[in-house]
Amino acid sequence: MTIDPTGSEKREFLDGAKRGATGYVVSLIVLALFTLCAYVLRLTRPEVSFLYLMVVVAMALMFGFWQATLTSVIAVTCLRYLFSKTGFNVFSVSPEGVITLAAFEATALIIARLSAREQHHKQELAVHHNAVAKLYEISMEMMLIDPLLTLGPQIVGVIRKTMHADTVAIYDAKIGKVDSVGPNVEELERLARGAYLRDLNHDDRQQRISLRVLRSGGKSIGAMAVQGNLDPLTSNILSLFVESSLERVRSYQSERRAQAVQKNEELRTAVLDSLAHAFKTPLTTIRTASSGLIEIGGLNDSQMKLASLIEEQSLQMNQLADRLLQTARLEAETLEPKQSDIVIASLIDQVLQEYSSKLVDYAVEVSIAPPSLGTQGDRELLTNIIGQFVDNATKYSYLGSPIKITAEETSTEILISVHNRGPVIKMEDRELIFERFYRCDDSKSLASGTGVGLSVAKKSAEALRGRVWVTSDDEDGTTFFLSLPRVTRRLH
């Protein structure tokens, strides 16, 4: 890829040539005037030498070393012409002339170097001032980026306009996309991707291309390629602005998504709360009617089975409504857990009695160490958590396999677990099953359910400052755990 000289570079070259020619002409004119004055006024050699030296200094300051050198040579020639005692000869060389020329040249060299250094310093200051002004402008422009619109096109447009760059390309690794603007986009897009993949920061002064890897929290998130007159420091600062803008907009977008999710959850919770309340009245009527039919008697076997089925299913629907109401209260943070002394053995006995009809076909093993183990908390919430674990075990255990309930304490927590043997819960499902309405694909055909129970268990555990999780494999089976903060005494 080749790049033609820009118009500004051509202008700089022509201006330099004109300035040099002007310097030569000015030195000739000034020396001629000074020589004429010296001749007319009959000045001495030291006086004329001092005047010529001032001309050399002026030429070195104004035009540079080579113009000052020409001035020195002409000045020494004029001195020989004015003060030669043996007759003027342009090719003659005298020790006095050599010393004078050396003095003029040394002065010209020192002054020219100092002047060049000062000019270079001024140019650097001007460049830095211009860069700072552009960076300030681009920081203001970056703050005005609309987070609701696509981010990449806005950033490359701002950089190109503010930094007067030819082409800009930004690779966003998160979405795997390159946004670019300018005439040489294909090459810059390729370089941006390559910089990210190789984790490479590079400045090509000949091609006027700067490559910078964009980072966030120490990790590469993309890369920037800019073709234009950017020094390395400006490129580094510009990349920081781009990183900051990417993070700011992404944080804003994440916050908006979180707010939208929260509003959806609030709406869904309100709907579930309303539905659960609406279900309670007809369910109570159905249960009352089915219980009345059974109590009245006079039903044949088929009618008795149907009445019993109605009562059983209405009971399950009533429990589901209770869970939905509890979920709504937990998520709305309106439920305040009660604090009471709880004996773990008594709590587990209560759960086993409630689920006794479902545990008929399973051998239940209970282990509590020590037997007097107790805690403090909301008994209803704890009963619901352990009951949900037991309910899950009855649904997904192999028929006739044991269900083990264990409670123990460590130095920091009380750990209650329910273990069964059944289908393995996949690793990717072990967090998701505690989300509301989520059910594993493998379990949908094994047992009926709504995906609400475990989410209620999780919310209940969090309300009690505890946590729940599950482990599952072919060798050890499936175990659901509840961890609670340890109390300072045991209950009797």
Side-chain angles (χ1 to χ4, degrees), residues 87-127:
F88 175 70
N89 184 358
V90 70
F91 297 107
S92 64
V93 178
S94 65
E96 189 177 29
V98 172
I99 294 173
T100 302
L101 180 61
F104 283 176
E105 279 295 284
T107 302
L109 180 61
I110 293 172
I111 297 299
R113 286 180 65 88
L114 292 174
S115 177
R117 184 180 300 174
E118 180 66 20
Q119 290 296 326
H120 181 68
H121 181 63
K122 287 182 178 180
Q123 290 176 357
E124 285 187 339
L125 286 178
V127 169

mmCIF file of all heavy atoms in Angstrom, residues 87-127:
data_model
loop_
_atom_site.group_PDB
_atom_site.id
_atom_site.type_symbol
_atom_site.label_atom_id
_atom_site.label_comp_id
_atom_site.label_asym_id
_atom_site.label_seq_id
_atom_site.Cartn_x
_atom_site.Cartn_y
_atom_site.Cartn_z
ATOM 1 N N GLY A 87 46.618 44.482 -2.347
ATOM 2 C CA GLY A 87 45.757 44.367 -3.525
ATOM 3 C C GLY A 87 44.807 43.199 -3.375
ATOM 4 O O GLY A 87 45.157 42.161 -2.827
ATOM 5 N N PHE A 88 43.613 43.399 -3.831
ATOM 6 C CA PHE A 88 42.563 42.386 -3.657
ATOM 7 C C PHE A 88 42.717 41.255 -4.671
ATOM 8 O O PHE A 88 42.878 41.517 -5.863
ATOM 9 C CB PHE A 88 41.192 43.037 -3.817
ATOM 10 C CG PHE A 88 40.067 42.045 -3.771
ATOM 11 C CD1 PHE A 88 39.725 41.403 -2.577
ATOM 12 C CD2 PHE A 88 39.379 41.714 -4.934
ATOM 13 C CE1 PHE A 88 38.700 40.501 -2.545
ATOM 14 C CE2 PHE A 88 38.342 40.801 -4.894
ATOM 15 C CZ PHE A 88 38.000 40.190 -3.705
ATOM 16 N N ASN A 89 42.683 39.990 -4.133
ATOM 17 C CA ASN A 89 42.690 38.796 -4.980
ATOM 18 C C ASN A 89 41.700 37.804 -4.378
ATOM 19 O O ASN A 89 41.865 37.367 -3.242
ATOM 20 C CB ASN A 89 44.097 38.179 -5.025
ATOM 21 C CG ASN A 89 44.151 36.983 -5.987
ATOM 22 O OD1 ASN A 89 43.139 36.592 -6.582
ATOM 23 N ND2 ASN A 89 45.345 36.407 -6.128
ATOM 24 N N VAL A 90 40.670 37.497 -5.158
ATOM 25 C CA VAL A 90 39.591 36.677 -4.629
ATOM 26 C C VAL A 90 40.073 35.283 -4.225
ATOM 27 O O VAL A 90 39.482 34.638 -3.375
ATOM 28 C CB VAL A 90 38.455 36.574 -5.666
ATOM 29 C CG1 VAL A 90 38.884 35.716 -6.857
ATOM 30 C CG2 VAL A 90 37.192 35.995 -5.013
ATOM 31 N N PHE A 91 41.184 34.821 -4.835
ATOM 32 C CA PHE A 91 41.665 33.474 -4.531
ATOM 33 C C PHE A 91 42.769 33.448 -3.475
ATOM 34 O O PHE A 91 43.270 32.382 -3.136
ATOM 35 C CB PHE A 91 42.190 32.801 -5.806
ATOM 36 C CG PHE A 91 41.115 32.607 -6.843
ATOM 37 C CD1 PHE A 91 41.094 33.403 -7.977
ATOM 38 C CD2 PHE A 91 40.123 31.663 -6.678
ATOM 39 C CE1 PHE A 91 40.108 33.242 -8.926
ATOM 40 C CE2 PHE A 91 39.136 31.500 -7.637
ATOM 41 C CZ PHE A 91 39.110 32.296 -8.758
ATOM 42 N N SER A 92 43.152 34.577 -3.003
ATOM 43 C CA SER A 92 44.216 34.601 -1.996
ATOM 44 C C SER A 92 43.666 34.171 -0.643
ATOM 45 O O SER A 92 42.504 34.410 -0.319
ATOM 46 C CB SER A 92 44.808 36.015 -1.892
ATOM 47 O OG SER A 92 43.816 36.916 -1.425
ATOM 48 N N VAL A 93 44.537 33.541 0.158
ATOM 49 C CA VAL A 93 44.163 33.053 1.472
ATOM 50 C C VAL A 93 45.174 33.588 2.485
ATOM 51 O O VAL A 93 46.381 33.442 2.290
ATOM 52 C CB VAL A 93 44.147 31.522 1.523
ATOM 53 C CG1 VAL A 93 43.799 31.043 2.932
ATOM 54 C CG2 VAL A 93 43.163 30.974 0.506
ATOM 55 N N SER A 94 44.612 34.188 3.549
ATOM 56 C CA SER A 94 45.481 34.715 4.598
ATOM 57 C C SER A 94 45.066 34.111 5.939
ATOM 58 O O SER A 94 43.895 33.746 6.130
ATOM 59 C CB SER A 94 45.362 36.245 4.660
ATOM 60 O OG SER A 94 44.052 36.616 5.060
ATOM 61 N N PRO A 95 46.019 33.967 6.869
ATOM 62 C CA PRO A 95 45.663 33.421 8.179
ATOM 63 C C PRO A 95 44.570 34.239 8.860
ATOM 64 O O PRO A 95 43.698 33.698 9.525
ATOM 65 C CB PRO A 95 46.984 33.490 8.957
ATOM 66 C CG PRO A 95 48.037 33.460 7.900
ATOM 67 C CD PRO A 95 47.478 34.217 6.737
ATOM 68 N N GLU A 96 44.645 35.544 8.713
ATOM 69 C CA GLU A 96 43.641 36.401 9.339
ATOM 70 C C GLU A 96 42.251 36.128 8.769
ATOM 71 O O GLU A 96 41.246 36.072 9.497
ATOM 72 C CB GLU A 96 44.023 37.865 9.124
ATOM 73 C CG GLU A 96 43.174 38.825 9.917
ATOM 74 C CD GLU A 96 43.636 40.259 9.722
ATOM 75 O OE1 GLU A 96 44.176 40.573 8.644
ATOM 76 O OE2 GLU A 96 43.468 41.058 10.650
ATOM 77 N N GLY A 97 42.184 35.904 7.455
ATOM 78 C CA GLY A 97 40.887 35.605 6.825
ATOM 79 C C GLY A 97 40.336 34.248 7.253
ATOM 80 O O GLY A 97 39.123 34.098 7.468
ATOM 81 N N VAL A 98 41.252 33.279 7.378
ATOM 82 C CA VAL A 98 40.815 31.948 7.785
ATOM 83 C C VAL A 98 40.242 31.987 9.198
ATOM 84 O O VAL A 98 39.197 31.386 9.506
ATOM 85 C CB VAL A 98 41.989 30.947 7.712
ATOM 86 C CG1 VAL A 98 41.592 29.606 8.328
ATOM 87 C CG2 VAL A 98 42.414 30.755 6.266
ATOM 88 N N ILE A 99 40.934 32.714 10.096
ATOM 89 C CA ILE A 99 40.446 32.823 11.477
ATOM 90 C C ILE A 99 39.106 33.528 11.520
ATOM 91 O O ILE A 99 38.184 33.105 12.248
ATOM 92 C CB ILE A 99 41.491 33.566 12.335
ATOM 93 C CG1 ILE A 99 42.769 32.725 12.453
ATOM 94 C CG2 ILE A 99 40.922 33.873 13.718
ATOM 95 C CD1 ILE A 99 43.909 33.443 13.130
ATOM 96 N N THR A 100 38.965 34.581 10.730
ATOM 97 C CA THR A 100 37.686 35.313 10.708
ATOM 98 C C THR A 100 36.566 34.420 10.184
ATOM 99 O O THR A 100 35.454 34.379 10.750
ATOM 100 C CB THR A 100 37.811 36.557 9.835
ATOM 101 O OG1 THR A 100 38.877 37.394 10.330
ATOM 102 C CG2 THR A 100 36.498 37.350 9.845
ATOM 103 N N LEU A 101 36.845 33.706 9.099
ATOM 104 C CA LEU A 101 35.830 32.807 8.538
ATOM 105 C C LEU A 101 35.458 31.713 9.544
ATOM 106 O O LEU A 101 34.273 31.382 9.698
ATOM 107 C CB LEU A 101 36.348 32.179 7.242
ATOM 108 C CG LEU A 101 35.385 31.208 6.537
ATOM 109 C CD1 LEU A 101 34.095 31.927 6.129
ATOM 110 C CD2 LEU A 101 36.067 30.578 5.316
ATOM 111 N N ALA A 102 36.463 31.167 10.235
ATOM 112 C CA ALA A 102 36.180 30.126 11.232
ATOM 113 C C ALA A 102 35.310 30.669 12.362
ATOM 114 O O ALA A 102 34.380 30.000 12.844
ATOM 115 C CB ALA A 102 37.491 29.563 11.799
ATOM 116 N N ALA A 103 35.616 31.918 12.771
ATOM 117 C CA ALA A 103 34.809 32.531 13.831
ATOM 118 C C ALA A 103 33.372 32.746 13.362
ATOM 119 O O ALA A 103 32.403 32.481 14.094
ATOM 120 C CB ALA A 103 35.429 33.857 14.270
ATOM 121 N N PHE A 104 33.237 33.251 12.127
ATOM 122 C CA PHE A 104 31.889 33.459 11.584
ATOM 123 C C PHE A 104 31.124 32.125 11.478
ATOM 124 O O PHE A 104 29.940 32.038 11.819
ATOM 125 C CB PHE A 104 31.974 34.123 10.210
ATOM 126 C CG PHE A 104 32.274 35.592 10.264
ATOM 127 C CD1 PHE A 104 32.455 36.317 9.086
ATOM 128 C CD2 PHE A 104 32.411 36.263 11.469
ATOM 129 C CE1 PHE A 104 32.731 37.664 9.116
ATOM 130 C CE2 PHE A 104 32.689 37.609 11.508
ATOM 131 C CZ PHE A 104 32.855 38.321 10.327
ATOM 132 N N GLU A 105 31.820 31.087 10.993
ATOM 133 C CA GLU A 105 31.170 29.788 10.799
ATOM 134 C C GLU A 105 30.777 29.156 12.136
ATOM 135 O O GLU A 105 29.699 28.583 12.288
ATOM 136 C CB GLU A 105 32.098 28.835 10.051
ATOM 137 C CG GLU A 105 32.103 29.031 8.553
ATOM 138 C CD GLU A 105 30.765 28.711 7.945
ATOM 139 O OE1 GLU A 105 30.422 27.516 7.794
ATOM 140 O OE2 GLU A 105 30.011 29.662 7.651
ATOM 141 N N ALA A 106 31.676 29.276 13.113
ATOM 142 C CA ALA A 106 31.347 28.723 14.430
ATOM 143 C C ALA A 106 30.136 29.435 15.020
ATOM 144 O O ALA A 106 29.231 28.801 15.583
ATOM 145 C CB ALA A 106 32.553 28.860 15.363
ATOM 146 N N THR A 107 30.114 30.755 14.871
ATOM 147 C CA THR A 107 28.970 31.521 15.363
ATOM 148 C C THR A 107 27.700 31.120 14.631
ATOM 149 O O THR A 107 26.635 30.932 15.250
ATOM 150 C CB THR A 107 29.221 33.022 15.187
ATOM 151 O OG1 THR A 107 30.418 33.389 15.885
ATOM 152 C CG2 THR A 107 28.045 33.833 15.723
ATOM 153 N N ALA A 108 27.806 30.986 13.296
ATOM 154 C CA ALA A 108 26.640 30.605 12.500
ATOM 155 C C ALA A 108 26.126 29.221 12.909
ATOM 156 O O ALA A 108 24.914 29.003 13.022
ATOM 157 C CB ALA A 108 26.999 30.612 11.011
ATOM 158 N N LEU A 109 27.062 28.284 13.124
ATOM 159 C CA LEU A 109 26.662 26.930 13.493
ATOM 160 C C LEU A 109 25.957 26.912 14.849
ATOM 161 O O LEU A 109 24.897 26.294 15.011
ATOM 162 C CB LEU A 109 27.886 26.021 13.527
ATOM 163 C CG LEU A 109 27.629 24.553 13.913
ATOM 164 C CD1 LEU A 109 26.684 23.891 12.916
ATOM 165 C CD2 LEU A 109 28.935 23.773 14.006
ATOM 166 N N ILE A 110 26.533 27.593 15.828
ATOM 167 C CA ILE A 110 25.938 27.600 17.177
ATOM 168 C C ILE A 110 24.565 28.264 17.147
ATOM 169 O O ILE A 110 23.582 27.727 17.690
ATOM 170 C CB ILE A 110 26.877 28.318 18.161
ATOM 171 C CG1 ILE A 110 28.169 27.507 18.356
ATOM 172 C CG2 ILE A 110 26.172 28.528 19.505
ATOM 173 C CD1 ILE A 110 29.227 28.223 19.148
ATOM 174 N N ILE A 111 24.503 29.434 16.534
ATOM 175 C CA ILE A 111 23.227 30.161 16.494
ATOM 176 C C ILE A 111 22.187 29.366 15.714
ATOM 177 O O ILE A 111 21.015 29.284 16.114
ATOM 178 C CB ILE A 111 23.424 31.557 15.872
ATOM 179 C CG1 ILE A 111 24.376 32.400 16.729
ATOM 180 C CG2 ILE A 111 22.076 32.261 15.718
ATOM 181 C CD1 ILE A 111 23.873 32.636 18.134
ATOM 182 N N ALA A 112 22.596 28.751 14.583
ATOM 183 C CA ALA A 112 21.649 27.987 13.765
ATOM 184 C C ALA A 112 21.112 26.780 14.529
ATOM 185 O O ALA A 112 19.907 26.478 14.469
ATOM 186 C CB ALA A 112 22.316 27.537 12.473
ATOM 187 N N ARG A 113 22.002 26.096 15.255
ATOM 188 C CA ARG A 113 21.565 24.935 16.030
ATOM 189 C C ARG A 113 20.607 25.358 17.152
ATOM 190 O O ARG A 113 19.570 24.708 17.377
ATOM 191 C CB ARG A 113 22.768 24.194 16.617
ATOM 192 C CG ARG A 113 23.553 23.399 15.590
ATOM 193 C CD ARG A 113 24.735 22.702 16.242
ATOM 194 N NE ARG A 113 24.298 21.707 17.198
ATOM 195 C CZ ARG A 113 24.015 20.440 16.900
ATOM 196 N NH1 ARG A 113 24.105 20.033 15.634
ATOM 197 N NH2 ARG A 113 23.638 19.590 17.833
ATOM 198 N N LEU A 114 20.961 26.442 17.852
ATOM 199 C CA LEU A 114 20.071 26.924 18.896
ATOM 200 C C LEU A 114 18.728 27.367 18.325
ATOM 201 O O LEU A 114 17.666 27.094 18.906
ATOM 202 C CB LEU A 114 20.726 28.087 19.654
ATOM 203 C CG LEU A 114 21.941 27.726 20.514
ATOM 204 C CD1 LEU A 114 22.578 28.986 21.098
ATOM 205 C CD2 LEU A 114 21.546 26.772 21.643
ATOM 206 N N SER A 115 18.792 28.031 17.188
ATOM 207 C CA SER A 115 17.554 28.492 16.554
ATOM 208 C C SER A 115 16.707 27.310 16.082
ATOM 209 O O SER A 115 15.484 27.301 16.264
ATOM 210 C CB SER A 115 17.879 29.398 15.369
ATOM 211 O OG SER A 115 16.693 29.791 14.694
ATOM 212 N N ALA A 116 17.371 26.307 15.487
ATOM 213 C CA ALA A 116 16.640 25.127 15.017
ATOM 214 C C ALA A 116 16.001 24.379 16.192
ATOM 215 O O ALA A 116 14.858 23.920 16.106
ATOM 216 C CB ALA A 116 17.579 24.191 14.250
ATOM 217 N N ARG A 117 16.773 24.300 17.285
ATOM 218 C CA ARG A 117 16.231 23.631 18.459
ATOM 219 C C ARG A 117 15.012 24.383 18.995
ATOM 220 O O ARG A 117 14.006 23.774 19.377
ATOM 221 C CB ARG A 117 17.308 23.534 19.535
ATOM 222 C CG ARG A 117 16.876 22.758 20.770
ATOM 223 C CD ARG A 117 17.998 22.719 21.791
ATOM 224 N NE ARG A 117 19.184 22.062 21.237
ATOM 225 C CZ ARG A 117 20.354 21.993 21.883
ATOM 226 N NH1 ARG A 117 20.480 22.547 23.084
ATOM 227 N NH2 ARG A 117 21.383 21.383 21.329
ATOM 228 N N GLU A 118 15.116 25.704 19.026
ATOM 229 C CA GLU A 118 13.998 26.504 19.510
ATOM 230 C C GLU A 118 12.782 26.376 18.581
ATOM 231 O O GLU A 118 11.642 26.243 19.055
ATOM 232 C CB GLU A 118 14.429 27.971 19.603
ATOM 233 C CG GLU A 118 13.346 28.909 20.105
ATOM 234 C CD GLU A 118 12.964 28.632 21.551
ATOM 235 O OE1 GLU A 118 13.766 28.003 22.269
ATOM 236 O OE2 GLU A 118 11.855 29.043 21.948
ATOM 237 N N GLN A 119 13.042 26.384 17.278
ATOM 238 C CA GLN A 119 11.944 26.225 16.330
ATOM 239 C C GLN A 119 11.290 24.853 16.457
ATOM 240 O O GLN A 119 10.058 24.731 16.407
ATOM 241 C CB GLN A 119 12.462 26.429 14.893
ATOM 242 C CG GLN A 119 12.861 27.855 14.560
ATOM 243 C CD GLN A 119 11.677 28.803 14.611
ATOM 244 O OE1 GLN A 119 10.548 28.440 14.287
ATOM 245 N NE2 GLN A 119 11.941 30.034 15.049
ATOM 246 N N HIS A 120 12.141 23.840 16.628
ATOM 247 C CA HIS A 120 11.606 22.487 16.794
ATOM 248 C C HIS A 120 10.763 22.398 18.065
ATOM 249 O O HIS A 120 9.696 21.768 18.075
ATOM 250 C CB HIS A 120 12.760 21.483 16.842
ATOM 251 C CG HIS A 120 12.313 20.063 16.988
ATOM 252 N ND1 HIS A 120 11.644 19.381 15.999
ATOM 253 C CD2 HIS A 120 12.427 19.188 18.047
ATOM 254 C CE1 HIS A 120 11.364 18.162 16.416
ATOM 255 N NE2 HIS A 120 11.823 18.016 17.652
ATOM 256 N N HIS A 121 11.254 23.051 19.128
ATOM 257 C CA HIS A 121 10.501 23.043 20.383
ATOM 258 C C HIS A 121 9.160 23.747 20.206
ATOM 259 O O HIS A 121 8.126 23.274 20.706
ATOM 260 C CB HIS A 121 11.325 23.723 21.468
ATOM 261 C CG HIS A 121 10.658 23.741 22.811
ATOM 262 N ND1 HIS A 121 10.356 22.589 23.502
ATOM 263 C CD2 HIS A 121 10.223 24.789 23.582
ATOM 264 C CE1 HIS A 121 9.764 22.918 24.642
ATOM 265 N NE2 HIS A 121 9.675 24.240 24.718
ATOM 266 N N LYS A 122 9.157 24.859 19.494
ATOM 267 C CA LYS A 122 7.905 25.579 19.247
ATOM 268 C C LYS A 122 6.945 24.735 18.423
ATOM 269 O O LYS A 122 5.733 24.712 18.688
ATOM 270 C CB LYS A 122 8.199 26.898 18.524
ATOM 271 C CG LYS A 122 8.826 27.956 19.403
ATOM 272 C CD LYS A 122 9.031 29.245 18.629
ATOM 273 C CE LYS A 122 9.629 30.330 19.520
ATOM 274 N NZ LYS A 122 9.849 31.599 18.783
ATOM 275 N N GLN A 123 7.499 24.038 17.424
ATOM 276 C CA GLN A 123 6.645 23.180 16.603
ATOM 277 C C GLN A 123 6.045 22.050 17.434
ATOM 278 O O GLN A 123 4.859 21.712 17.285
ATOM 279 C CB GLN A 123 7.452 22.610 15.440
ATOM 280 C CG GLN A 123 7.828 23.645 14.390
ATOM 281 C CD GLN A 123 8.713 23.074 13.302
ATOM 282 O OE1 GLN A 123 9.096 21.896 13.356
ATOM 283 N NE2 GLN A 123 9.070 23.893 12.320
ATOM 284 N N GLU A 124 6.875 21.460 18.308
ATOM 285 C CA GLU A 124 6.361 20.399 19.172
ATOM 286 C C GLU A 124 5.263 20.925 20.091
ATOM 287 O O GLU A 124 4.232 20.269 20.284
ATOM 288 C CB GLU A 124 7.488 19.792 20.009
ATOM 289 C CG GLU A 124 8.406 18.871 19.230
ATOM 290 C CD GLU A 124 9.395 18.179 20.140
ATOM 291 O OE1 GLU A 124 9.639 18.692 21.257
ATOM 292 O OE2 GLU A 124 9.918 17.125 19.748
ATOM 293 N N LEU A 125 5.493 22.111 20.650
ATOM 294 C CA LEU A 125 4.466 22.697 21.503
ATOM 295 C C LEU A 125 3.181 22.956 20.728
ATOM 296 O O LEU A 125 2.071 22.721 21.233
ATOM 297 C CB LEU A 125 4.978 24.010 22.109
ATOM 298 C CG LEU A 125 6.025 23.890 23.225
ATOM 299 C CD1 LEU A 125 6.476 25.267 23.677
ATOM 300 C CD2 LEU A 125 5.465 23.105 24.402
ATOM 301 N N ALA A 126 3.349 23.434 19.487
ATOM 302 C CA ALA A 126 2.167 23.702 18.666
ATOM 303 C C ALA A 126 1.426 22.406 18.348
ATOM 304 O O ALA A 126 0.182 22.347 18.406
ATOM 305 C CB ALA A 126 2.577 24.411 17.375
ATOM 306 N N VAL A 127 2.226 21.354 18.027
ATOM 307 C CA VAL A 127 1.602 20.062 17.725
ATOM 308 C C VAL A 127 0.881 19.518 18.952
ATOM 309 O O VAL A 127 -0.259 19.047 18.876
ATOM 310 C CB VAL A 127 2.672 19.060 17.224
ATOM 311 C CG1 VAL A 127 2.094 17.656 17.160
ATOM 312 C CG2 VAL A 127 3.182 19.485 15.857
#
